[in-house]
Amino acid sequence: MDKIILSGMEFYGYHGVLKEEKRVGQPFIIGVEMFLDLLPAGVSDDLTKTVHYGEAYLAIKKIVEEENFDLIEALAQRIGEMLLQEYPLQKVRVIVDKPLAPVPGGNLAARIEIEREK
């Protein structure tokens, strides 16, 4: 299966269970793999036969920066649902990194990864 990969998208959001996370916010790093047949776009050189990844980036940015979730699992689910709804994808993988996840004794990097299909 062909795929388009957007990796290392860094945004500032207000997601987390703790009040401080919702007040102060923190960086989130998002990666997506969008699975679809790229042959029509490759043969035709036609943008309408693929995913306009600039538009996909802006849609992901809007979710991360303007919506709020307690869990990064819910953030990933929302991104995955949007991508499957808006684009002709067969499957999507969403990775959310929370590099400053607060835990007792300090911070650690937390990552979740989901896969969803139509």
Side-chain angles (χ1 to χ4, degrees):
M1 175 70 51
D2 303 327
K3 60 185 169 180
I4 295 172
I5 302 169
L6 300 178
S7 62
M9 296 180 286
E10 188 168 339
F11 308 110
Y12 202 86
Y14 297 84
H15 313 288
V17 175
L18 303 177
K19 288 181 186 178
E20 194 70 7
E21 292 178 289
K22 293 184 184 306
R23 188 179 71 75
V24 176
Q26 61 192 293
F28 293 86
I29 302 168
I30 311 296
V32 297
E33 296 181 15
M34 299 175 279
F35 295 80
L36 70 159
D37 183 4
L38 295 175
L39 180 63
V43 169
S44 67
D45 197 26
D46 182 351
L47 180 59
T48 65
K49 307 273 189 221
T50 187
V51 172
H52 188 307
Y53 50 81
E55 291 177 0
Y57 169 88
L58 291 174
I60 294 165
K61 176 181 172 65
K62 183 176 175 104
I63 290 170
V64 177
E65 293 184 348
E66 296 181 16
E67 297 183 27
N68 298 93
F69 302 94
D70 287 344
L71 303 177
I72 57 176
E73 293 87 343
L75 174 59
Q77 181 67 30
R78 173 71 176 96
I79 292 168
E81 287 174 351
M82 178 277 297
L83 291 171
L84 286 171
Q85 181 179 348
E86 295 296 321
Y87 300 101
L89 307 179
Q90 296 175 3
K91 182 170 82 169
V92 67
R93 177 177 293 126
V94 180
I95 301 164
V96 176
D97 284 313
K98 187 175 183 178
L100 301 176
V103 295
N107 293 319
L108 67 84
R111 169 181 279 180
I112 63 98
E113 182 176 325
I114 65 166
E115 278 190 23
R116 300 294 182 262
E117 295 184 33
K118 280 193 177 174

